[in-house]
Amino acid sequence: MLLLLLGIIVLHVTVLVLLFVSTIVSQWLVNGEHTADLWQNCTSGTIFHCLASSTNGECCLLLPIAFILL
């Protein structure tokens, strides 16, 4: 019984780590020279420029989106 509980805990921790890593790595919006994800918005024209997502007025949505994904 203890082995089963330990296996379930390891499985849940593994899933949480994989979801967190996939949230960090993924780019949600790719449109020509503009990419956006949960953490930053980037433009890649002649100069590669990134802004934190919270500076674009959508900071109120980032926390619920992160909780929904995790």
Side-chain angles (χ1 to χ4, degrees):
M1 193 62 123
L2 184 62
L3 187 60
L4 180 64
L5 179 64
L6 183 64
I8 291 171
I9 290 172
V10 168
L11 179 68
H12 280 88
V13 169
T14 304
V15 167
L16 286 176
V17 168
L18 288 174
L19 283 173
F20 186 70
V21 168
S22 67
T23 303
I24 291 172
V25 172
S26 69
Q27 293 181 347
W28 295 348
L29 173 67
V30 178
N31 184 8
E33 296 178 348
H34 180 77
T35 61
D37 60 10
L38 182 63
W39 310 112
Q40 59 187 357
N41 294 333
C42 299
T43 55
S44 60
T46 56
I47 299 173
F48 191 76
H49 184 69
C50 290
L51 296 172
S53 288
S54 62
T55 61
N56 294 334
E58 52 196 35
C59 61
C60 301
L61 293 175
L62 294 180
L63 188 61
I65 290 172
F67 279 125
I68 288 170
L69 289 176
L70 295 177

